[in-house]
Amino acid sequence: MQELRLLACSDLHNSARAADMIVKLADSGDFDAVMIAGDFTTTGPVSFTRDFLSRMPIKVLSVPGNCDPLETVEALEDLDASIHNTQAEFK
């Protein structure tokens, strides 16, 4: 079985500093993917989420948070980062 190294985070709430730190960690070569458990923003703007995710150098798996606007789901889907309303099977 192959090892999967995940970088997990949540609750950025529009923090450019946190976004920069996560992108830097993702670019370190230490992780295969980033799992983001929502709250990119505090009610928007969705452009923060789009800009942040477009800078990611590795695969992103994410769901929107309770503070994210509804348009976040579309942004995650557009950027192939959404695992919202999906299921996975691990063996």
Side-chain angles (χ1 to χ4, degrees):
M1 181 186 321
Q2 184 178 351
E3 180 180 285
L4 177 64
R5 302 166 303 159
L6 283 177
L7 171 60
C9 60
S10 67
D11 297 282
L12 281 78
H13 293 286
N14 301 83
S15 172
R17 181 174 176 222
D20 289 345
M21 289 172 37
I22 294 165
V23 170
K24 184 176 180 178
L25 283 168
D27 199 31
S28 70
D30 293 333
F31 302 97
D32 300 308
V34 180
M35 169 65 87
I36 306 172
D39 287 348
F40 294 91
T41 68
T42 304
T43 67
V46 176
S47 60
F48 176 87
T49 303
R50 287 185 177 278
D51 293 344
F52 168 58
L53 293 178
S54 68
R55 296 171 43 208
M56 279 297 181
I58 58 177
K59 177 69 177 164
V60 176
L61 308 168
S62 187
V63 295
N66 64 311
C67 292
D68 291 318
L70 293 176
E71 297 83 13
T72 300
V73 174
E74 183 178 327
L76 296 177
E77 290 171 353
D78 289 349
L79 295 164
D80 195 32
S82 180
I83 57 170
H84 183 64
N85 287 333
T86 63
Q87 48 183 325
E89 183 177 323
F90 296 93
K91 297 180 181 185

